[in-house]
Short mmCIF file of all heavy atoms in Angstrom, two decimals:
data_model
loop_
_atom_site.label_atom_id
_atom_site.label_comp_id
_atom_site.label_asym_id
_atom_site.label_seq_id
_atom_site.Cartn_x
_atom_site.Cartn_y
_atom_site.Cartn_z
N PRO R 1002 -19.15 61.36 5.66
CA PRO R 1002 -18.54 60.05 5.97
C PRO R 1002 -19.57 58.96 6.26
O PRO R 1002 -19.24 57.78 6.17
CB PRO R 1002 -17.69 60.34 7.21
CG PRO R 1002 -18.28 61.58 7.81
CD PRO R 1002 -18.81 62.39 6.66
N ASP R 1003 -20.79 59.34 6.60
CA ASP R 1003 -21.87 58.37 6.79
C ASP R 1003 -23.11 58.94 6.12
O ASP R 1003 -24.00 59.50 6.77
CB ASP R 1003 -22.11 58.09 8.28
CG ASP R 1003 -23.18 57.04 8.52
OD1 ASP R 1003 -23.59 56.37 7.54
OD2 ASP R 1003 -23.62 56.89 9.68
N ALA R 1004 -23.16 58.80 4.80
CA ALA R 1004 -24.17 59.50 4.01
C ALA R 1004 -25.60 59.14 4.39
O ALA R 1004 -26.50 59.97 4.27
CB ALA R 1004 -23.94 59.21 2.52
N ASP R 1005 -25.83 57.88 4.83
CA ASP R 1005 -27.21 57.49 5.15
C ASP R 1005 -27.50 57.49 6.64
O ASP R 1005 -28.60 57.10 7.08
CB ASP R 1005 -27.53 56.11 4.57
CG ASP R 1005 -26.55 55.03 5.02
OD1 ASP R 1005 -25.74 55.31 5.93
OD2 ASP R 1005 -26.60 53.91 4.47
N SER R 1006 -26.52 57.94 7.46
CA SER R 1006 -26.70 58.06 8.91
C SER R 1006 -27.16 56.77 9.57
O SER R 1006 -27.99 56.78 10.48
CB SER R 1006 -27.70 59.19 9.23
OG SER R 1006 -27.20 60.44 8.84
N ASP R 1007 -26.64 55.61 9.12
CA ASP R 1007 -27.02 54.35 9.74
C ASP R 1007 -25.96 53.84 10.71
O ASP R 1007 -26.05 52.73 11.24
CB ASP R 1007 -27.31 53.28 8.69
CG ASP R 1007 -26.13 52.95 7.80
OD1 ASP R 1007 -25.04 53.53 8.01
OD2 ASP R 1007 -26.29 52.11 6.88
N GLY R 1008 -24.94 54.69 10.97
CA GLY R 1008 -23.90 54.32 11.91
C GLY R 1008 -22.77 53.53 11.30
O GLY R 1008 -21.81 53.16 11.99
N ILE R 1009 -22.85 53.22 10.00
CA ILE R 1009 -21.80 52.48 9.31
C ILE R 1009 -21.09 53.43 8.34
O ILE R 1009 -21.73 53.99 7.45
CB ILE R 1009 -22.37 51.29 8.50
CG1 ILE R 1009 -23.31 50.45 9.35
CG2 ILE R 1009 -21.23 50.45 7.93
CD1 ILE R 1009 -22.66 49.78 10.53
N PRO R 1010 -19.79 53.65 8.50
CA PRO R 1010 -19.08 54.55 7.57
C PRO R 1010 -19.24 54.09 6.13
O PRO R 1010 -19.30 52.89 5.84
CB PRO R 1010 -17.61 54.45 8.03
CG PRO R 1010 -17.69 53.97 9.45
CD PRO R 1010 -18.89 53.09 9.53
N ASN R 1011 -19.31 55.06 5.22
CA ASN R 1011 -19.51 54.75 3.80
C ASN R 1011 -18.53 53.68 3.30
O ASN R 1011 -18.90 52.79 2.53
CB ASN R 1011 -19.35 56.01 2.94
CG ASN R 1011 -20.39 57.06 3.27
OD1 ASN R 1011 -21.46 56.73 3.78
ND2 ASN R 1011 -20.08 58.31 2.99
N ALA R 1012 -17.28 53.76 3.73
CA ALA R 1012 -16.26 52.85 3.23
C ALA R 1012 -16.56 51.40 3.58
O ALA R 1012 -16.13 50.48 2.88
CB ALA R 1012 -14.90 53.24 3.78
N LYS R 1013 -17.32 51.18 4.67
CA LYS R 1013 -17.65 49.82 5.11
C LYS R 1013 -19.12 49.48 4.89
O LYS R 1013 -19.53 48.34 5.12
CB LYS R 1013 -17.31 49.65 6.59
CG LYS R 1013 -15.83 49.83 6.90
CD LYS R 1013 -15.57 49.63 8.40
CE LYS R 1013 -14.09 49.77 8.73
NZ LYS R 1013 -13.84 49.57 10.17
N ASP R 1014 -19.89 50.45 4.45
CA ASP R 1014 -21.34 50.29 4.31
C ASP R 1014 -21.66 49.62 2.97
O ASP R 1014 -21.25 50.11 1.91
CB ASP R 1014 -22.01 51.66 4.39
CG ASP R 1014 -23.50 51.56 4.67
OD1 ASP R 1014 -24.10 50.50 4.36
OD2 ASP R 1014 -24.07 52.54 5.18
N ASN R 1015 -22.37 48.45 3.02
CA ASN R 1015 -22.71 47.78 1.75
C ASN R 1015 -23.89 48.43 1.04
O ASN R 1015 -24.24 48.02 -0.06
CB ASN R 1015 -22.94 46.28 1.96
CG ASN R 1015 -24.05 45.97 2.96
OD1 ASN R 1015 -24.91 46.79 3.23
ND2 ASN R 1015 -24.01 44.76 3.51
N CYS R 1016 -24.51 49.41 1.68
CA CYS R 1016 -25.53 50.25 1.03
C CYS R 1016 -25.32 51.66 1.57
O CYS R 1016 -26.07 52.11 2.46
CB CYS R 1016 -26.94 49.77 1.34
SG CYS R 1016 -27.48 48.37 0.36
N PRO R 1017 -24.30 52.41 1.09
CA PRO R 1017 -23.94 53.70 1.71
C PRO R 1017 -25.01 54.77 1.60
O PRO R 1017 -24.96 55.73 2.38
CB PRO R 1017 -22.67 54.10 0.95
CG PRO R 1017 -22.72 53.34 -0.33
CD PRO R 1017 -23.40 52.07 -0.02
N LEU R 1018 -25.96 54.64 0.70
CA LEU R 1018 -26.99 55.68 0.54
C LEU R 1018 -28.36 55.23 1.03
O LEU R 1018 -29.33 55.96 0.91
CB LEU R 1018 -27.08 56.10 -0.93
CG LEU R 1018 -25.82 56.74 -1.53
CD1 LEU R 1018 -26.05 57.11 -2.98
CD2 LEU R 1018 -25.40 57.96 -0.72
N VAL R 1019 -28.44 54.02 1.60
CA VAL R 1019 -29.70 53.52 2.14
C VAL R 1019 -29.43 53.00 3.56
O VAL R 1019 -28.57 52.14 3.74
CB VAL R 1019 -30.29 52.38 1.28
CG1 VAL R 1019 -31.62 51.91 1.85
CG2 VAL R 1019 -30.46 52.84 -0.16
N PRO R 1020 -30.15 53.51 4.56
CA PRO R 1020 -29.88 53.07 5.93
C PRO R 1020 -30.09 51.56 6.10
O PRO R 1020 -31.14 51.03 5.73
CB PRO R 1020 -30.92 53.85 6.76
CG PRO R 1020 -31.30 55.02 5.91
CD PRO R 1020 -31.22 54.54 4.49
N ASN R 1021 -29.11 50.84 6.59
CA ASN R 1021 -29.22 49.40 6.91
C ASN R 1021 -28.18 49.06 7.96
O ASN R 1021 -27.15 48.45 7.68
CB ASN R 1021 -29.06 48.53 5.66
CG ASN R 1021 -27.69 48.63 5.02
OD1 ASN R 1021 -27.00 49.65 5.13
ND2 ASN R 1021 -27.27 47.57 4.34
N PRO R 1022 -28.44 49.44 9.21
CA PRO R 1022 -27.46 49.20 10.27
C PRO R 1022 -27.12 47.73 10.44
O PRO R 1022 -26.03 47.39 10.89
CB PRO R 1022 -28.15 49.77 11.52
CG PRO R 1022 -29.60 49.82 11.18
CD PRO R 1022 -29.67 50.08 9.73
N GLY R 1023 -28.03 46.80 10.07
CA GLY R 1023 -27.75 45.37 10.18
C GLY R 1023 -26.88 44.83 9.07
O GLY R 1023 -26.35 43.72 9.17
N GLN R 1024 -26.71 45.59 8.00
CA GLN R 1024 -25.86 45.22 6.87
C GLN R 1024 -26.24 43.84 6.29
O GLN R 1024 -25.39 43.07 5.85
CB GLN R 1024 -24.39 45.21 7.26
CG GLN R 1024 -23.84 46.56 7.67
CD GLN R 1024 -23.67 47.48 6.48
OE1 GLN R 1024 -22.76 47.34 5.68
NE2 GLN R 1024 -24.57 48.46 6.35
N GLU R 1025 -27.53 43.50 6.29
CA GLU R 1025 -27.98 42.21 5.76
C GLU R 1025 -27.58 42.07 4.30
O GLU R 1025 -27.82 42.96 3.48
CB GLU R 1025 -29.49 42.08 5.89
CG GLU R 1025 -30.00 42.01 7.32
CD GLU R 1025 -30.17 43.38 7.96
OE1 GLU R 1025 -29.90 44.39 7.27
OE2 GLU R 1025 -30.55 43.44 9.14
N MET R 1026 -27.00 40.93 3.96
CA MET R 1026 -26.56 40.71 2.58
C MET R 1026 -26.62 39.21 2.27
O MET R 1026 -25.88 38.41 2.83
CB MET R 1026 -25.14 41.22 2.37
CG MET R 1026 -24.67 41.10 0.91
SD MET R 1026 -23.03 41.81 0.63
CE MET R 1026 -22.02 40.60 1.48
#
Side-chain angles (χ1 to χ4, degrees):
D1003 182 11
D1005 55 10
S1006 295
D1007 61 2
I1009 311 296
N1011 297 336
K1013 298 181 179 180
D1014 197 336
N1015 59 21
C1016 280
L1018 298 180
V1019 182
N1021 64 333
Q1024 297 287 286
E1025 294 83 1
M1026 184 176 71

